[in-house]
């Protein structure tokens, strides 16, 4: 028989702890700051997050145990399979071996469930009865809706108005799991009312929705806020992806030369990459690790490393990160999950130190890659994940030119079953590329002019 | 650690042959007949199916090897997990153990891929360049589109007009895999033109779409037709489900007392049930095996066993099966895959012999069961699969009343990600039950009056 196509792990091989890369960085991370320029304290975050998650957010402990109850839920779809993309390899005629970690098998269809279950659990453990969050395209809102239902926590989701109208199925999915899903801006918050008074016809934005969710949270009893990416504890929960992949490579006696993840806020990329970066930091291995961003929102390849806010209304602390400026409004590409102005501080820190590299790819190339993947592997990827596939194909073609049998790993962060309109637009030749114009950078960054500057590395 | 939640098999534990129950029936099956009342010959089927599939259709060989190339494709998502529904058990407070086989993990989201890959393979092996098929809700069309793309066979799908208009995502999915998907009736076939001339505003029907697909097939070069259920070879390909489940029960040292599948044409039910029926026929085990049909289309519980056609236009052979009459138009319940007037001859024969039983459940109870499942297990089932869940819940409650620790297995035939509008209708209180009225039976069966009668058992 030929080589195993799908590398599986049993329940007892699923990691029992998350990996915290903050323990291993040789250079210290700059701390998040308040508007006064002073480091944020746990007490300042307490109205927004439960203390057990704040502890994870600031922890420098290398291994953080996964609670038994969280593991019992994750077992329902984890460990996820790592598959070899034999059909794609054949179509490319490449000597490279292409593996992907399949996070699309979770109940909500993406990696977001890895952290949603943990967040709902820690909130419930802390006595929280209700959570609020925002969602753009809806993957995060759906994942948190599922987790909150399983943990018995109420949830209200502020969904960006344009997506709320365009993607009714995502809202129905959240409703099926018992969550309330509102079109943001609403008239339930001051932030929403202010926006509606000024621009009644606004399509909404992630920035506005975050402001509404945080305002709702701090003004409500027994309520906390959940974020689907960017923050340290969110990335921590995703490291289970890469930890499993390492075990799976052990089983087949290999180690990847190249590791690839798409990057919006940074959580699925961190999930696949950080456990391998541990080996790179230790000096035992030297994989090339690439974060792929959309050309429409290229904070890592065209932005600056600076202190910036996580939302338009600047309600969040200032985070040290690669950014295009918190007022930047990315073009309406189909990969809604990659339309975020900043990159997670932990990923930004890794990039700044040269542990990873970054590349920006336009959406038409990504959809072409996604269709080739669907046609050869049978699986329709999320538009976000298609960025990782496009880069994997670039690398496989490069390996063919060089005649080298490289081992490539990418993360398939989710499936595209609810994103088929993007595929149809591509098939109909109606997709266009949105390339961030470097000339806009000055304008885009003007909003962070007065903010504190991070220290040199 | 507690008991395994997800029972997995490795690639080398996937069955290498399909199980053919026709080899084990103690009483012979009545043969399919032509309109002249004489048994259908292989030659008569040759314009519609390739000879290698016709051989499977009439085979009485117990084990039919799964070709290596088909296995290599199935490995991409098979063996599928068998999961214990611990969350549902807890919510019901039942002493029963509820297991389900998760066929929703296939690339197109249902068990249909098990036969679509095999059918596309055998057609290509026989030198066929193009296939035609019909689809109702779209699960079958999508599964065959994926398989045909992987095997390099062209595909045209005639999709029932009302579904074509209501479910644009299913069409987009087929397009993504390169298939042509047309709204039926079309003006490309005589059957379609006749219907359009008479009823220009028809919503279409599965019967019309089958007629168009067969007419297209027999009038085209190098083209054959593919059916997603009902026929012997289709059910054969699905037995991999039950064969895997038996291995999975072996791993945990159990055997199910009760086996449940929903039943439209009969293929997913046969898939989970037949390998267990082998033990029942042999007398070594005695599980209760239940087929669940919708109250809107209760051919097994309210219909008759008779010779009937598979389509409205009577282009197919006459099949010996439980039927409501080929002109019966079921109400527009959300479980589109269960809206078929007849039951597969193999399943009908098992029912006639008392090897299985059947029950009809109205759709509101099914959606309530599906929502309870989604809320406790995190997975949103297809409306079709919800019928199996509703029956599993009935059995688990019965076990609670009796205080007995029964082991229940049901087949989760697919996920409901593209059927969320049904869930929304349920949540909004807009779903109603459609109960087949027994008084209608006489009228419904008038269309089979002149047809041959099957011999007594």
């Amino acid at each position: 028989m030929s080589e195993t196509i799908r590398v599986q792990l049993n329940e007892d091989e699923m990691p029992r702890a998350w990996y915290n890369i903050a323990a291993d960085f040789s250079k210290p991370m700059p701390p998040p700051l308040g508007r006064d320029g002073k480091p944020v304290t746990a007490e300042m975050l307490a109205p927004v997050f439960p203390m057990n998650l704040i502890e994870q957010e600031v922890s420098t402990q290398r291994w953080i145990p996964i609670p038994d109850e969280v593991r019992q839920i994750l077992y329902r779809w984890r460990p996820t399979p790592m598959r070899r993309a034999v059909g794609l390899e054949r179509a490319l005629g490449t000597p490279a071996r292409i593996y992907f970690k399949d996070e699309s098998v979770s109940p909500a269809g993406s990696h977001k469930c890895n952290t949603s279950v943990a967040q709902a659990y820690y909130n419930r453990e802390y006595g929280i009865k209700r959570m609020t969050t925002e969602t753009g395209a809806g993957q995060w809102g759906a994942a948190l809706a599922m987790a909150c239902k399983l943990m018995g926590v109420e949830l209200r989701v502020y969904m960006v108005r344009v997506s709320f109208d365009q993607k009714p199925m995502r809202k129905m999915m959240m409703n099926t799991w018992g969550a309330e899903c509102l079109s943001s801006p609403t008239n339930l918050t001051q932030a929403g009312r202010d926006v509606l008074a000024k621009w009644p016809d606004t399509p909404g934005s992630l920035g506005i929705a975050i402001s509404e969710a945080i305002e709702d949270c701090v003004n409500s009893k027994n309520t906390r806020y959940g974020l689907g990416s960017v923050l340290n504890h969110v990335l921590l929960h995703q490291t289970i992806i890469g930890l499993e992949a390492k075990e799976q490579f052990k089983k087949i006696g290999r180690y990847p030369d190249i590791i690839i993840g798409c990057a919006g806020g940074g959580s699925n990329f961190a999930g696949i990459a950080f456990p391998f970066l541990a080996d790179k930091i230790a000096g035992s291995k030297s994989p090339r690790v690439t974060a792929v961003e959309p050309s429409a929102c290229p904070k890592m390849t065209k932005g600056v490393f600076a202190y910036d806010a996580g939302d338009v209304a600047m309600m969040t602390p200032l985070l040290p990160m690669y950014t295009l400026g918190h007022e930047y409004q990315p073009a309406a590409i189909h990969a809604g999950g990659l339309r975020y102005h900043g990159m997670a501080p932990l990923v930004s820190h890794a990039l700044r130190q040269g542990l990873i590299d970054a590349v920006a790819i336009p959406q038409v190339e990504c959809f072409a890659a996604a269709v080739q993947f669907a046609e050869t592997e049978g699986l329709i990827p999320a538009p976000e994940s298609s960025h990782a596939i496009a880069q994997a194909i670039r690398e496989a073609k490069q390996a063919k030119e060089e005649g080298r049998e490289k081992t490539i790993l990418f993360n398939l962060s989710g499936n595209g079953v609810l994103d088929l309109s993007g595929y149809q637009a591509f098939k109909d030749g109606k997709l266009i590329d949105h390339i961030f114009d470097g000339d806009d950078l000055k304008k885009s960054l003007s909003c962070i002019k007065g903010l504190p500057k991070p220290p040199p590395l």
Side-chain angles (χ1 to χ4, degrees), chain A residues 136-139 159-174 181 333-337 383-384 418-422:
Chain A
Q139 283 273 23
M159 185 170 184
V160 175
R161 186 194 269 180
V162 58
S163 295
F164 184 92
D165 293 338
Q166 281 175 350
K167 304 200 173 192
M169 302 263 256
R170 280 277 173 215
K171 178 195 57 169
M172 292 179 196
M173 192 178 244
M174 294 179 232
C181 177
I333 55 169
H334 282 271
E384 290 80 4
L418 291 182
D419 300 286
L420 286 160
S421 55

Side-chain angles (χ1 to χ4, degrees), chain A residues 43 49 53 59 70-71 81 97 112 114 133 146 191 210 217 225 244 252 254 259 272 276 280 351 406 436 454:
Chain A
E43 287 65 36
F49 299 108
L53 283 176
S59 171
V70 171
R71 285 213 324 277
R97 286 158 182 268
K112 295 285 184 192
N114 296 328
T133 197
M146 182 205 74
I210 293 178
C217 158
Y225 166 75
E244 285 180 4
I252 56 171
R254 295 188 170 270
I259 296 153
I272 191 96
F276 291 97
K280 199 167 177 173
L351 179 61
K406 294 177 191 170
F436 178 84

